Amino acid sequence: MQVWPGEAYPLGATYDGAGTNFAVFTEAADRVELCLLHDDGSETAVELRESDAFVRHAYVPGVMPGQRYGFRVHGPYAPERGLRCNSAKLLLDPYAKAISGSVRWGEEVYGYHFDAPDERNDLDSAPHTMTSVVVNPYFDWGDDRPPRTGYHHTVIYEAHVKGLTMRHPGLPEELRGTYAALAHPAIIEHLTKLGVTALELMPVHQFVSDHRLVDMGLNNYWGYNTIGFFAPHNAYASWGDRGQQVLEFKSAVRALHEAGIEVILDVVYNHTAEGNHLGPTLSFRGIDNPQYYRLSDDPRYYMDTTGTGNSLLMRSPHVLQLIMDSLRYWVTEMHVDGFRFDLAATLARQFHEVDRLSSFFDLVQQDPVVSQVKLIAEPWDVGEGGYQVGNFPPLWTEWNGKYRDTVRDLWRGEPRALAEFASRLTGSSDLYQDDGRRPLASINFVTCHDGFTLHDLVSYNQKHNRANGEDNRDGESHNRSWNCGVEGETDDPDVLELRARQMRNFVATLMLSQGVPMISHGDEVARTQHGNNNAYCQDSELAWVRWPDADETGSELLAFMRAIVKLRRDHPVFRRRRFFHGRPVEGTHDELSDIAWFTPEGKEMTQRDWDSAQASALSVFLNGNAISEPGARGERIADDSFLLMFNASPESLDFVVPVNHGRQWEVVVDTARTDGVPTGTAAKVQAGDRLTLVDRCMTVLQRPV
């Protein structure tokens, strides 16, 4: 076999049509072998003799796409110094563009013996571990263009590749649960009819199912356990895992773009699947443990701000390079449109404290590729000082956990929720205005993958997670949920009607709030996990979306959600790009304030009204004739005005239509109705009229411009 010196850049395996260049960084190694793997179980070892700036490299002519490979790193195994090299372990390339196979758990993939954790384990891991794959980078993108949907037009749909598609009756069985299913017309039609503009995929970077879960007969379903930051997860491919997963993922992105739907990836750059000091040796640990991971004062152990056993070393230039190279790759080569960063506060931990100006954010800010896509932070981790909602840099948007909590509190009847609810409804200026951000920095959500589904939020007071095998200890215990009087499933028609109304309340509140709404997959059809609020290990019908028949409650909710998304899309007053001023806007020739708050009696809210512990009802006037921001070409934006009436109390209340904010209105949303958004002739309402809102419902009035 010929071996040429090759190049130190780019890292990973790079096929050029005639052969493949291999390059891997390691400062800890004495010697590195590239192992080319054959289908009969044998391997050909090629020593990477060339080294530039600790990057070992070689070019091997004739190595084609589909070739499986790995590295064996020879060097010190000295855990007391943080070094864990072990040439008996076949290691994944940190820059692998595709990964084949899965881990077959056993002592072979660990660097120590189970009965003697301080002794080096020299069992060969090759027959038991995953392998890297050389991929063909060429793909016909045709005339693919990123949709580049502005945040003010964005509706995000968070989904799991398998969970969304596994039970869809319109999909061929062989495509269910795969990237190809996302490209199928049945899925794209559902998303477009719903009004979705961005599909946010739960982790599709190659991940590993934990040893503990596999022993329990479970799987890491959610995928927050990454081992390959460049490789699409191979189990979601319908064609094969020797590079076909890359082509299938690209094809899905191309099809979604054709429908005008952006693709956002939920990415996990805060930790890897190698766990703590007792975890397996699959890649980074064996290549250069102290360069990749945050080690404690005693370097045998790992610092852990993620709750998973390890955290990547965010002050290492090599970790930062890995992350930035990965992000750029997914944008430039895979054509994705943005990222949602899991436990993003960990990425800001340059040393110990969360630092908003850490190196990672500096790099993102100046990167000409990554800085131009959607960047969404999950603004917390499990470490000290890790809750950082409202504290990310101006370029970033954030999952607004305070929005979720406050909206849940209002509709379940918590006292003293009204004032904060008003802030969340209008874009959370208390969180985002001081640093120059706008309402669109707030990614609003009521439910997401983590926690109760929308159906379960109104059906359960307690979590029911015994299926997870941890005696119901896992998952959040404080869910801010309310079961409407009965825990779990019931045939009581009054309870069912109240639950359906509460779901409509949550949907209408979410879609008519300032900010960017995010829907959790299946909520539009009332998906249930039967009270399990932590289905991370439930790769089963418990977590997969069940698509309803035409006459089921889920179908009614779907129709309502489509209508309310359309109402939002049609009216810029719900999609403002600037915060409300709370006064008349200059140049609009309108003497009314751009926003006004009223008691149910139609009187303007006073501080005493806001401070009332039991206050649970109000109206808000949104002046469509007082939108301060201009249109795309500098034109003035004018819209209809709306009056949103919220009755979160347990009793029916009369609401008076304010007398000085419009003479005639139409009822366009009424969550007390099964259809929620009346069709046909809307009811007319005059200024000064009294409307009776039943307990826990919401009514929206519209006044033409």
Side-chain angles (χ1 to χ4, degrees):
M1 175 178 290
Q2 285 188 316
V3 180
W4 301 346
E7 303 290 341
Y9 188 85
L11 292 166
T14 306
Y15 171 69
D16 64 3
T20 303
N21 190 81
F22 296 90
V24 60
F25 162 81
T26 171
E27 195 170 335
D30 296 328
R31 190 162 62 89
V32 176
E33 288 179 304
L34 164 69
C35 298
L36 302 176
L37 307 170
H38 310 297
D39 289 342
D40 62 2
S42 64
E43 62 183 62
T44 300
V46 176
E47 184 169 350
L48 304 183
R49 298 182 182 276
E50 299 294 325
S51 178
D52 294 292
F54 299 109
V55 175
R56 311 295 177 100
H57 54 89
Y59 180 92
V60 185
V63 170
M64 297 286 114
Q67 173 66 57
R68 294 182 301 125
Y69 71 98
F71 297 116
R72 294 189 185 273
V73 174
H74 301 258
Y77 182 82
E80 70 280 1
R81 293 191 286 133
L83 298 169
R84 295 180 179 268
C85 300
N86 185 340
S87 59
K89 310 305 168 187
L90 184 72
L91 304 176
L92 289 170
D93 181 355
Y95 278 70
K97 306 299 191 303
I99 292 174
S100 177
S102 59
V103 178
R104 288 187 288 160
W105 291 109
E107 195 170 292
E108 294 85 355
V109 297
Y110 291 82
Y112 62 91
H113 291 284
F114 290 167
D115 57 357
D118 294 328
E119 290 185 13
R120 171 174 156 147
N121 173 348
D122 288 329
L123 295 172
D124 185 9
S125 71
H128 304 270
T129 194
M130 313 165 87
T131 57
S132 308
V133 179
V134 177
V135 304
N136 187 339
Y138 305 108
F139 180 78
D140 182 8
W141 282 103
D143 58 356
D144 181 70
R145 295 289 184 273
R148 295 196 181 280
T149 307
Y151 273 117
H152 60 300
H153 290 298
T154 295
V155 176
I156 298 174
Y157 187 87
E158 186 201 29
H160 187 283
V161 172
K162 190 171 186 180
L164 176 65
T165 64
M166 198 63 188
R167 301 179 71 185
H168 196 291
L171 294 174
E173 287 196 17
E174 65 273 14
L175 295 186
R176 295 181 184 181
T178 70
Y179 301 122
L182 298 178
H184 192 276
I187 294 298
I188 290 179
E189 181 183 19
H190 174 74
L191 297 176
T192 53
K193 281 187 175 181
L194 187 56
V196 168
T197 69
L199 180 63
E200 182 178 302
L201 294 175
M202 290 172 66
V204 297
H205 287 175
Q206 185 69 50
F207 60 86
V208 174
S209 278
D210 321 56
H211 192 167
R212 176 186 67 85
L213 290 177
V214 172
D215 283 351
M216 294 168 62
L218 300 170
N219 282 304
N220 191 316
Y221 169 65
W222 283 353
Y224 293 92
N225 204 33
T226 305
I227 197 63
F229 294 106
F230 295 78
H233 186 60
N234 55 27
Y236 297 154
S238 63
W239 307 347
D241 71 355
R242 298 286 185 91
Q244 294 96 330
Q245 61 265 56
V246 178
L247 300 177
E248 190 170 329
F249 181 87
K250 289 179 176 179
S251 296
V253 172
R254 183 177 60 191
L256 288 160
H257 280 182
E258 286 175 0
I261 298 172
E262 294 183 306
V263 178
I264 298 171
L265 301 188
D266 192 339
V267 290
V268 189
Y269 292 111
N270 52 73
H271 73 280
T272 79
E274 290 186 302
N276 63 15
H277 63 290
L278 297 178
T281 299
L282 304 175
S283 179
F284 310 93
R285 171 176 281 138
I287 291 174
D288 199 324
N289 190 57
Q291 285 290 336
Y292 280 111
Y293 293 116
R294 291 175 63 93
L295 304 181
S296 340
D297 292 338
D298 182 344
R300 288 177 297 176
Y301 305 109
Y302 296 81
M303 290 188 68
D304 178 18
T305 58
T306 64
T308 61
N310 67 59
S311 300
L312 284 171
L313 183 62
M314 294 307 299
R315 67 174 181 268
S316 164
H318 306 289
V319 169
L320 292 170
Q321 180 185 8
L322 172 81
I323 295 174
M324 296 306 298
D325 285 350
S326 170
L327 292 170
R328 277 191 297 270
Y329 174 79
W330 285 94
V331 175
T332 59
E333 296 297 320
M334 308 295 264
H335 286 209
V336 304
D337 305 283
F339 305 95
R340 179 265 188 188
F341 292 80
D342 179 65
L343 300 181
T346 290
L347 302 176
R349 291 182 185 273
Q350 189 163 359
F351 295 97
H352 175 71
E353 299 82 5
V354 177
D355 175 10
R356 196 178 79 163
L357 300 178
S358 72
S359 298
F360 172 69
F361 297 109
D362 291 343
L363 290 172
V364 169
Q365 182 75 32
Q366 60 80 42
D367 190 277
V369 174
V370 180
S371 65
Q372 299 305 302
V373 300
K374 288 183 168 67
L375 301 171
I376 305 170
E378 181 187 33
W380 50 78
D381 64 14
V382 301
E384 182 181 352
Y387 192 77
Q388 295 291 320
V389 174
N391 291 332
F392 276 72
L395 190 65
W396 291 68
T397 61
E398 300 176 14
W399 270 25
N400 191 342
K402 292 186 177 181
Y403 178 94
R404 171 200 59 204
D405 297 346
T406 304
V407 171
R408 289 186 179 193
D409 280 350
L410 177 87
W411 286 115
R412 72 189 180 111
E414 282 295 290
R416 300 191 185 278
L418 214 55
E420 186 168 359
F421 171 72
S423 178
R424 303 297 158 244
L425 183 74
T426 54
S428 296
S429 60
D430 58 322
L431 300 177
Y432 305 115
Q433 192 168 29
D434 288 347
D435 58 12
R437 287 189 283 178
R438 300 286 174 84
L440 300 168
S442 178
I443 306 297
N444 298 331
F445 65 105
V446 176
T447 57
C448 63
H449 70 274
D450 188 1
F452 283 145
T453 65
L454 182 61
H455 171 280
D456 292 358
L457 182 66
V458 301
S459 305
Y460 295 89
N461 284 353
Q462 309 297 328
K463 63 186 180 182
H464 296 264
N465 296 357
R466 294 200 176 274
N468 298 352
E470 299 182 45
D471 293 325
N472 212 38
R473 294 189 303 270
D474 65 301
E476 176 61 58
S477 296
H478 182 45
N479 292 283
R480 292 181 159 90
S481 62
W482 180 50
N483 64 17
C484 298
V486 177
E487 185 73 359
E489 298 303 313
T490 181
D491 294 326
D492 187 319
D494 292 335
V495 173
L496 292 175
E497 196 283 327
L498 176 56
R499 288 177 177 177
R501 188 160 74 244
Q502 285 285 71
M503 286 191 282
R504 291 192 291 270
N505 289 335
F506 282 121
V507 169
T509 303
L510 175 65
M511 287 301 157
L512 303 183
S513 295
Q514 305 299 323
V516 181
M518 184 184 78
I519 305 164
S520 180
H521 72 306
D523 275 354
E524 72 275 22
V525 293
R527 178 174 76 93
T528 180
Q529 293 177 168
H530 302 292
N532 191 319
N533 73 349
N534 190 34
Y536 78 102
C537 57
Q538 297 296 329
D539 188 2
S540 67
E541 292 188 356
L542 178 69
W544 303 338
V545 175
R546 176 184 174 274
W547 299 88
D549 296 328
D551 59 347
E552 292 185 280
T553 301
S555 182
E556 294 174 349
L557 183 61
L558 175 59
F560 175 73
M561 190 177 288
R562 286 173 175 169
I564 209 76
V565 172
K566 182 178 186 301
L567 182 66
R568 175 188 178 84
R569 182 176 67 238
D570 291 345
H571 293 284
V573 74
F574 299 121
R575 301 181 280 103
R576 292 191 52 148
R577 289 173 286 124
R578 295 179 182 172
F579 288 109
F580 289 100
H581 301 281
R583 63 178 187 274
V585 175
E586 293 182 11
T588 60
H589 308 295
D590 194 318
E591 297 179 356
L592 295 176
S593 173
D594 59 352
I595 188 170
W597 303 91
F598 300 94
T599 66
E601 292 76 26
K603 308 287 187 180
E604 290 211 30
M605 293 279 286
T606 65
Q607 193 60 48
R608 188 174 186 177
D609 296 321
W610 288 116
D611 294 341
S612 173
Q614 300 307 316
S616 54
L618 56 65
S619 297
V620 56
F621 167 73
L622 305 180
N623 190 348
N625 200 38
I627 298 174
S628 58
E629 62 266 23
R633 298 184 177 181
E635 74 277 13
R636 177 173 173 262
I637 298 175
D639 191 14
D640 296 346
S641 295
F642 288 84
L643 189 67
L644 281 57
M645 298 174 168
F646 298 89
N647 179 18
S649 72
E651 299 176 352
S652 295
L653 289 177
D654 285 346
F655 278 67
V656 176
V657 179
V659 295
N660 296 321
H661 289 72
R663 287 181 294 177
Q664 183 167 293
W665 301 79
E666 294 180 351
V667 178
V668 292
V669 177
D670 182 358
T671 63
R673 296 171 53 127
T674 301
D675 56 4
V677 178
T679 57
T681 304
K684 300 292 191 295
V685 178
Q686 306 295 323
D689 283 356
R690 286 183 174 270
L691 296 181
T692 300
L693 271 65
V694 302
D695 61 292
R696 298 184 175 90
C697 84
M698 176 180 170
T699 296
V700 178
L701 308 183
Q702 180 177 355
R703 189 197 77 193
V705 65

